[in-house]
Amino acid sequence: MTLDIVALAGIYGMYACGLTLVFGVLEVLNLAHAATFAFCTLLAMYLTTTQAWPLWQAALITVLAGAVVAIAIDRIAFWPLRRRGAVTAWGKHIGPLLSSLALATILLGVDQVAFGLDPRHFPDRVLPTATLHLGSGAIPLVSAVSTALFVVLVIALTAALRKTRWGLEVRAVAEQSTTAALFGVNGERRFIETMAVSGALAALAGLAYGLTFNIASPDTSSQLDVKGFALVVLGGLGSVPGSLVGATVIAAIEVSGAKWLPHGTEQLLVFGVLFLLLVVRPQGIFGTKIAAGAR
Amino acid sequence: MKSPKARFVGAILAVPALAAASCGGTSAGASNGGGKTVKIGVVLSTSGNGAVFGVDQRNGVNLAVKMINAGGGINGRLISVDFRDSAYDKTQAQAIFAKMAPDNSIVGIIGPTSSAEAFAADPLAVSAKLPVLAISNGSAGVPQIGKYVHRVGVPEPMLLPGVAKAVVARDHITSAAVMYASNDPFALTGYQAFSKTLKDAGVKITDVVPYDSDKTVNFTPQLQTIKGHHPQALFVAAKSNEGAVILRQAKQTGLSIPLVGNLSFTSTALLQAAGSAANGLIVGATWSASDTSALNQQFVAQYQQAYDKPATPLAATAFNAVYVIKQALSSATTDSRASLEQGLEQMPGYHFIGSAVDFVSVGNGLRDAATADPVLLQAKDGKLVPLG
């Protein structure tokens, strides 16, 4: 069972990592992240089936496409509002939230036109069939690789944000973009880079999801849109290491729930845990508590 | 990096999920060469999750229409088809039936693909005295929708018990597990048929695993639990494409017991999606390509030629439905809804391609399709072949 949790956590984690990164830097919740994830999964399946591309080529293009789509989302949904410093009557978060929701719906329509409504699959020839045996358990190789990749990415991203000049600039822009600009930091460039990384992570999550479950349709985005927020809130919104924790907790609840709990109660448990956490520790497990009056 | 404010997080979680754009139906009329025609409505799911069934069904209908028209039609009257895609969506099916019901040029409807669509749309046809030929509405209660609903595809409760009995006898099964899509009436009926037959046969049921068809893609935990209880067979009543996912994950989990599927598992798209993981899958049907009758051999050859893929049981039932209409109207002097209804009520059953099907009474003057002779098929390299 532990290996099943690890396998699922890898997919959830990569998805959540991109979502939380954007929140941490741009301070917006990107509601089009799930649509980017679904688009990338379908694109990879389309390239390997209809175009008969080898998996590695399709994967490369998919990751690049994820980055491009995410940048486009930023330019269309976030940048115009950021440029004007638009603040609605409900605060500065609602504008980007609604504009990304609109883009998510448009992207869903694009998926339906480009890839059709029918579920798609990877062809047999590209699906890795190898299984890794660890002790008495076994895990599909693709799950082991995606989880290992996720852990490496979390460590690399955390190190890059904390130890490099680039990370310092990203954090400075996240904290106060106007002040950062006075020190010569190109804030817009950091925003675009962050969105690109987030899109690439959505694409990697989509590839891992597709290769593991081998089914996707435009509706696949609905599997992760609401759950995605539970993933990032549990770990702490804006915390990259927190995505690892959030993904593991939710994967553990889902896998053990599917095994031991009555049918349908695992989602109840996921959101029950989230609700409790919001009451007890609203900033999430790894989030930082904000002092009264701060920001 | 900045951390969120708790009240903002609460507000975000209240945002509703994204609304999926609805899919639209398409209309395709088959040409009929002019002259007097018999117009039938064909409402099938050729897009969405039901496309795995609907495309084969549409192919079966079109081929039957082509063959009947080539042979002179129904006493010289050619058949024309008003085809609509219901996209496996009951609201869509309802909207299409609402348009067809007042159109008196349509004498009958073949479809819709799913039981859920039938329960939503068929009452509109009943109100308009428009005969409906249900080809894949396997749920309990479909004939009871009303007088004008005629189930011509043998429902799972009439088919799956024979399949389960045959597998139990063949492999000396004493214990089995059952999985089913609990959010689909069709799959639920399949589960009930499997479950009752296994219990009646004295088979110990180790696990009963319900799942949500549209939400579940990870079946590994459930399959591992099943594996841990060492059943000798796994019976699955799936809704649609998730059957392929179950087959793949069953193989990855190392489940090497026979997997017996419901009608969903007979679709070509599902077999292709499952790939080599489908090998060994056992399904029941009322049709097999190995049927040596002249009409069936014509059907098999022309289907392959027209669609570049082998015919399926779903296509065969749809094919039979058109021949049922032909027979029902063959002695009628006018092509009207009343004539078709009268002809259908007078038919004791049919035997065109595949198993002989009887229309048996289910009370209140209503009838249902049944067969005493199901065909057992096994998946092998993407095809269904008679079980050896």
Side-chain angles (χ1 to χ4, degrees):
Chain A
M1 191 167 81
T2 312
L3 292 176
D4 296 336
I5 295 168
V6 168
L8 197 58
I11 298 168
Y12 284 175
M14 262 192 285
Y15 176 86
C17 194
L19 195 59
T20 206
L21 184 69
V22 169
F23 185 83
V25 177
L26 276 75
E27 214 185 334
V28 293
L29 262 181
N30 178 12
L31 289 185
H33 195 65
T36 310
F37 162 84
F39 172 81
C40 292
T41 314
L42 289 166
L43 178 67
M45 289 175 168
Y46 168 80
L47 292 175
T48 50
T49 49
T50 312
Q51 301 299 324
W53 285 19
L55 181 61
W56 71 269
Q57 275 181 10
L60 191 66
I61 293 299
T62 299
V63 173
L64 287 173
V68 170
V69 168
I71 292 170
I73 289 167
D74 178 63
R75 295 289 94 184
I76 298 167
F78 301 146
W79 178 70
L81 299 173
R82 196 163 62 231
R83 186 168 58 94
R84 294 205 309 266
V87 177
T88 66
W90 305 281
K92 64 178 179 177
H93 298 295
I94 296 298
L97 193 78
L98 294 178
S99 59
S100 65
L101 176 63
L103 264 194
T105 310
I106 291 168
L107 204 50
L108 185 68
V110 170
D111 286 348
Q112 289 175 347
V113 171
F115 305 118
L117 294 166
D118 307 336
R120 282 185 173 268
H121 310 268
F122 278 114
D124 242 10
R125 65 178 169 80
V126 306
L127 283 173
T129 52
T131 302
L132 202 63
H133 292 274
L134 297 169
S136 59
I139 181 170
L141 187 62
V142 65
S143 300
V145 170
S146 61
T147 306
L149 181 64
F150 165 54
V151 174
V152 168
L153 284 171
V154 166
I155 294 168
L157 262 175
T158 308
L161 286 166
R162 288 181 184 169
K163 308 276 184 192
T164 67
R165 170 82 193 173
W166 176 82
L168 183 69
E169 289 185 6
V170 166
R171 284 186 292 136
V173 169
E175 196 58 43
Q176 184 47 263
S177 57
T178 316
T179 312
L182 293 174
F183 285 88
V185 176
N186 187 340
E188 278 308 314
R189 190 165 175 174
R190 297 293 95 86
F191 284 142
I192 289 173
E193 287 164 359
T194 306
M195 283 301 288
V197 172
S198 159
L201 284 165
L204 284 172
L207 281 166
Y209 177 94
L211 290 169
T212 303
F213 302 125
N214 198 26
I215 187 166
S217 70
D219 284 341
T220 296
S221 61
S222 66
Q223 301 240 347
L224 277 175
D225 51 7
V226 176
K227 196 188 290 176
F229 295 117
L231 286 163
V232 294
V233 170
L234 270 177
L237 258 171
S239 165
V240 171
S243 62
L244 180 66
V245 175
T248 309
V249 169
I250 289 189
I253 292 172
E254 284 194 355
V255 171
S256 52
K259 270 187 179 245
W260 309 115
L261 295 176
H263 168 59
T265 50
E266 60 267 26
Q267 292 307 318
L268 198 71
L269 198 60
V270 166
F271 288 96
V273 167
L274 179 68
F275 177 76
L276 275 179
L277 191 83
L278 284 173
V279 171
V280 177
R281 193 177 163 80
Q283 70 271 34
I285 296 168
F286 275 69
T288 311
K289 196 171 182 179
I290 305 297
R295 271 192 214 162
Chain B
M1 286 192 287
K2 290 179 184 176
S3 298
K5 292 178 181 175
R7 63 191 167 89
F8 171 56
V9 170
I12 295 316
L13 291 168
V15 172
L18 304 179
S22 63
C23 47
T26 59
S27 173
S31 62
N32 54 52
K36 193 165 182 188
T37 61
V38 179
K39 188 175 173 185
I40 55 173
V42 176
V43 185
L44 299 168
S45 304
T46 51
S47 67
N49 282 340
V52 291
F53 317 121
V55 171
D56 288 358
Q57 292 174 327
R58 184 186 58 189
N59 292 344
V61 167
N62 285 343
L63 184 54
V65 170
K66 185 182 159 195
M67 286 170 64
I68 291 170
N69 285 347
I74 305 171
N75 296 333
R77 287 114 59 196
L78 301 183
I79 301 173
S80 75
V81 169
D82 182 356
F83 173 77
R84 306 293 173 108
D85 174 16
S86 57
Y88 219 44
D89 180 275
K90 57 185 179 185
T91 312
Q92 179 99 334
Q94 221 169 16
I96 295 168
F97 271 55
K99 276 187 184 172
M100 286 184 169
D103 180 358
N104 281 320
S105 68
I106 294 175
V107 298
I109 293 179
I110 294 176
T113 296
S114 73
S115 296
E117 291 168 288
F119 285 124
D122 285 3
L124 295 170
V126 172
S127 302
K129 298 182 178 177
L130 173 60
V132 175
L133 280 76
I135 52 177
S136 58
N137 306 149
S139 294
V142 168
Q144 287 76 15
I145 293 172
K147 183 187 171 190
Y148 294 87
V149 178
H150 301 268
R151 182 144 60 184
V152 295
V154 178
E156 297 216 312
M158 307 284 196
L159 185 69
L160 295 186
V163 177
K165 275 181 201 165
V167 174
V168 166
R170 172 181 167 268
D171 294 338
H172 310 291
I173 304 288
T174 56
S175 64
V178 186
M179 285 180 82
Y180 69 102
S182 60
N183 57 341
D184 181 63
F186 172 69
L188 189 63
T189 308
Y191 154 69
Q192 287 162 345
F194 274 145
S195 185
K196 184 177 183 309
T197 311
L198 292 171
K199 280 178 188 163
D200 290 348
V203 174
K204 181 190 171 193
I205 297 181
T206 59
D207 301 90
V208 174
V209 181
Y211 63 86
D212 286 339
S213 164
D214 302 322
K215 295 176 188 165
T216 315
V217 290
N218 185 17
F219 297 95
T220 308
Q222 295 95 324
L223 290 166
Q224 282 180 340
T225 303
I226 289 170
K227 189 184 174 192
H229 294 154
H230 308 293
Q232 292 172 302
L234 172 60
F235 292 77
V236 185
K239 181 183 170 191
S240 59
N241 262 25
E242 84 273 7
V245 182
I246 292 171
L247 284 164
R248 281 194 182 278
Q249 292 179 11
K251 194 160 192 179
Q252 282 171 352
T253 309
L255 260 180
S256 53
I257 54 179
L259 194 150
V260 186
N262 64 341
L263 196 64
S264 300
F265 285 84
T266 60
S267 114
T268 310
L270 187 147
L271 294 174
Q272 282 172 351
S276 58
N279 284 343
L281 163 76
I282 298 168
V283 293
T286 51
W287 172 87
S288 159
S290 59
D291 172 0
T292 53
S293 72
L295 184 61
N296 190 57
Q297 290 309 304
Q298 250 185 308
F299 166 70
V300 169
Q302 291 199 26
Y303 193 97
Q304 177 72 46
Q305 192 182 11
Y307 308 112
D308 197 26
K309 59 182 180 181
T312 64
L314 285 163
T317 306
F319 181 91
N320 275 331
V322 185
Y323 273 84
V324 167
I325 290 177
K326 181 193 173 195
Q327 186 171 321
L329 284 175
S330 59
S331 56
T333 50
T334 57
D335 298 322
S336 64
R337 295 177 180 185
S339 308
L340 178 59
E341 178 61 23
Q342 192 183 14
L344 288 168
E345 286 178 8
Q346 286 171 354
M347 283 177 70
Y350 66 87
H351 190 188
F352 301 112
I353 58 174
S355 306
V357 173
D358 302 314
F359 293 135
V360 297
S361 172
V362 290
N364 297 327
L366 303 170
R367 301 189 304 169
D368 204 349
T371 183
D373 184 28
V375 180
L376 284 190
L377 304 170
Q378 189 164 38
K380 191 177 178 188
D381 302 328
K383 291 179 184 173
L384 291 172
V385 296
L387 184 63

